[in-house]
Amino acid sequence: MLRSAAKDLGRLRRITRIIGKYGYDGFVRRAPELPPEVGSRDFEPESSPPPGLSGARRFRLMLEELGPTFIKFGQVLSARADLLAPAYIEELAQLQDHCEPLPFSEIEKALRIALGQDPGNCFERIDERPLATASIAQVHRGRLRSGQEVVVKVQRPGIRDEVRSDLDIMFRLARILDAVIEESQLAEPVGLVQEFEQGLLQELNFSNEAANIREFRQLHATRPDIVIPAVHAEFSTPSLLTLDFLDGVPFSRLPPDCDKPAIAKRIVREAFDELFTDGLFHGDPHPGNLMLLRDGRYGMLDFGLVGRLTPEMQETLVVLTLAIAVRDADTVARTLHRLGQSGRRVDIASVRRDVAMLLDRYLGRALRDLDSQHLLNELLDLAVRHGIRIPAEYALLGRAGATLEGVIRSLDPDLDVAEEARPLAEKLLRERVAPDNLQGGMYRMLLQLQGMQQEVPLQVSQILSDVSQGRLGVTVGGA
């Protein structure tokens, strides 16, 4: 539903001045009709950025100045290599969601409202100095009356109204971009903002994060070396989350004497379990959200952003990964087309030729020497050129995978991830392909696929795709 931003005219005009400051007002000025609340003079900046900045750098600085909601949107866009050029992806990856801490008196007031009573009735103490601050919430350590050490995540007062106002304005800007950008049929600015709105409003309701944590704890119940903090439901609300305190250090501050290669291997196993066993993965596994506990176990924090994979999506990932590993350009092309969204007919043969050329550039490199994020970005860019838009779920997975890859490389740059994942993949294939005979079953499957490839021409495959997506009608008439 399209909303009006007129209720916050001051904020709207502030945003237009910032857009003008960084030179992006041209897109808005090209609109067939400017919003009635905004005139051309509203784009006149109060100051100018340093000269010589690239477009990507100006875009990132603009989002930072626009504030928390736009910073979060930029972070989401940083995962969309199927929509933005690599230079923009690199810049947006640097966006940090950090704010100055609120006075503790405001935190106490927010706690009283969330709990509906004096915080002292529930907590023996809450440290005034925050453990972390962000645009949506502030995190403090505390102790319950029962003696349990906890952390409390308190939503910033007024953040809901601020976010909703900014979302109104983002929808207005997205509709303008939809009207003036030729590529908007693929980029779909309004659709992107709708996806962002849905995710951000879920993040603003801490009950969703509490449910994610409970699901992670259930899935990890048989993995004793992984710790997911418990939720204290009686002290948690949509604007307050109280969790067990995990005693350890984040991966961003690991001691020099710890066994980093062993930790890197454990991360690989955990990622494999999340993707192919659980179907539920952490959407933001940066070093601050991963912890080495004092007892040697591995802890995880911040479950506001998670991704979910259906069994069909899991199978698609298996096929795509294997096809890339053996450099099967035809299977990669067909898989990209199947998982993508396209409003026009796609020339599969052309996609296959481009994929083959891409994979040929990696010919001869060992898997351990591949920069998987660079390869993924090139594949996504290839998909965009052919009019294929990759669904947001896979984009989130790509972002999370790139983050984890960076963590692994920092811990053990010599780790052969492919070799570490091999026994896990073999177990997966035994369970899914041929439980009684992996090798025979796998070869049978590959032979069947090869036979289908020889018997079904690409043109016939494209016609079947057109029919399944409603782009081809067949009329049978009598004499």
Side-chain angles (χ1 to χ4, degrees):
M1 174 178 171
L2 300 179
R3 304 180 176 92
S4 170
K7 63 181 181 181
D8 195 350
L9 182 57
R11 174 63 173 154
L12 177 60
R13 285 177 170 163
R14 168 68 177 159
I15 286 175
T16 58
R17 282 196 296 272
I18 295 173
I19 291 175
K21 172 181 176 178
Y22 289 96
Y24 282 96
D25 54 304
F27 291 106
V28 183
R29 292 178 186 274
R30 285 164 51 195
E33 183 178 347
L34 283 175
E37 305 92 342
V38 178
S40 296
R41 294 186 62 182
D42 290 316
F43 292 99
E44 296 178 4
E46 298 173 350
S47 60
S48 299
L53 297 179
S54 66
R57 178 67 53 84
R58 284 188 289 111
F59 187 61
R60 193 251 295 175
L61 293 176
M62 180 183 71
L63 294 179
E64 287 180 345
E65 192 166 339
L66 286 172
T69 308
F70 288 84
I71 289 174
K72 283 189 169 293
F73 186 58
Q75 290 173 328
V76 171
L77 288 178
S78 71
R80 301 308 303 263
D82 57 323
L83 299 180
L84 296 179
Y88 281 80
I89 297 297
E90 292 176 8
E91 281 291 338
L92 295 182
Q94 300 178 42
L95 287 170
Q96 298 295 319
D97 181 21
H98 178 79
C99 293
E100 290 298 316
L102 290 174
F104 188 67
S105 59
E106 293 190 37
I107 295 298
E108 282 187 307
K109 182 179 178 180
L111 279 169
R112 185 182 301 273
I113 294 173
L115 293 167
Q117 59 180 308
D118 186 342
N121 296 336
C122 309
F123 298 93
E124 181 180 308
R125 73 156 217 285
I126 296 179
D127 294 350
E128 294 192 12
R129 183 177 180 180
L131 293 173
T133 61
S135 58
I136 285 180
Q138 197 156 295
V139 180
H140 292 254
R141 183 175 177 179
R143 180 186 296 133
L144 297 176
R145 285 291 178 185
S146 64
Q148 173 71 50
E149 293 291 326
V150 295
V151 293
V152 290
K153 182 176 180 180
V154 187
Q155 196 164 110
R156 284 176 169 258
I159 188 63
R160 287 174 178 270
D161 291 339
E162 179 182 337
V163 165
R164 288 187 180 277
S165 175
D166 279 354
L167 286 171
D168 286 340
I169 294 171
M170 290 179 73
F171 272 106
R172 176 62 59 88
L173 295 174
R175 292 196 299 275
I176 291 174
L177 291 179
D178 241 345
V180 301
I181 298 180
E182 294 179 359
E183 297 82 4
S184 63
Q185 184 177 1
L186 180 62
E188 298 177 357
V190 173
L192 286 174
V193 176
Q194 287 174 335
E195 290 179 6
F196 174 66
E197 177 190 43
Q198 182 180 12
L200 187 54
L201 293 182
Q202 287 183 349
E203 189 176 349
L204 280 168
N205 186 345
F206 291 172
S207 297
N208 293 320
E209 182 173 356
N212 292 338
I213 294 172
R214 293 189 187 98
E215 189 172 1
F216 262 86
R217 279 178 61 82
Q218 182 179 4
L219 291 169
H220 286 75
T222 59
R223 301 167 192 160
D225 56 338
I226 302 290
V227 179
I228 311 296
V231 177
H232 292 268
E234 64 274 34
F235 307 118
S236 297
T237 72
S239 61
L240 173 66
L241 189 60
T242 302
L243 306 171
D244 280 349
F245 172 74
L246 298 187
D247 190 11
V249 294
F251 280 17
S252 55
R253 295 190 285 108
L254 287 174
D257 58 345
C258 70
D259 190 346
K260 292 184 178 180
I263 296 174
K265 291 180 180 180
R266 186 63 191 90
I267 292 176
V268 173
R269 294 196 299 274
E270 168 63 19
F272 205 91
D273 285 339
E274 288 185 17
L275 293 182
F276 299 112
T277 301
D278 303 341
L280 179 72
F281 64 92
H282 197 298
D284 191 19
H286 65 73
N289 286 336
L290 308 176
M291 297 190 69
L292 177 63
L293 305 185
R294 298 197 185 281
D295 59 11
R297 292 182 295 171
Y298 168 38
M300 300 172 67
L301 303 172
D302 194 353
F303 297 85
L305 182 62
V306 302
R308 298 178 185 275
L309 299 176
T310 64
E312 292 76 17
M313 294 171 72
Q314 291 174 317
E315 297 297 341
T316 297
L317 286 175
V318 171
V319 171
L320 186 60
T321 302
L322 289 174
I324 292 174
V326 300
R327 296 179 175 84
D328 181 350
D330 189 70
T331 298
V332 172
R334 292 176 183 277
T335 304
L336 282 176
H337 181 250
R338 187 171 63 252
L339 67 84
Q341 303 165 353
S342 176
R344 64 175 186 263
R345 191 177 190 277
V346 175
D347 184 350
I348 295 293
S350 178
V351 177
R352 182 198 178 282
R353 286 193 297 270
D354 286 352
V355 170
M357 292 174 60
L358 172 61
L359 296 180
D360 283 347
R361 293 207 300 273
Y362 290 89
L363 190 65
R365 298 190 199 177
L367 287 178
R368 64 187 297 175
D369 297 328
L370 289 179
D371 183 341
S372 60
Q373 183 61 22
H374 185 66
L375 174 59
L376 174 63
N377 286 342
E378 289 200 59
L379 278 174
L380 293 177
D381 183 59
L382 184 153
V384 170
R385 294 200 307 272
H386 289 277
I388 301 172
R389 180 184 171 192
I390 305 302
E393 297 90 342
Y394 292 100
L396 176 60
L397 176 59
R399 173 184 170 184
T403 303
L404 268 187
E405 181 178 16
V407 173
I408 292 170
R409 288 182 186 273
S410 68
L411 293 170
D412 185 4
D414 296 323
L415 177 65
D416 189 336
V417 176
E419 187 62 31
E420 189 64 28
R422 187 184 303 277
L424 307 175
E426 290 176 351
K427 179 177 181 293
L428 175 70
L429 290 173
R430 278 198 300 271
E431 295 172 350
R432 298 191 179 191
V433 180
D436 57 337
N437 183 353
L438 167 67
Q439 190 172 25
M442 191 63 182
Y443 278 122
R444 264 197 311 276
M445 181 182 73
L446 292 176
L447 286 173
Q448 290 170 358
L449 289 174
Q450 180 64 27
M452 289 174 62
Q453 178 178 316
Q454 293 173 348
E455 294 171 7
V456 182
L458 286 170
Q459 293 84 350
V460 174
S461 177
Q462 182 65 68
I463 291 173
L464 292 174
S465 175
D466 288 344
V467 172
S468 68
Q469 298 186 38
R471 293 197 295 264
L472 181 65
V474 180
T475 301
V476 179

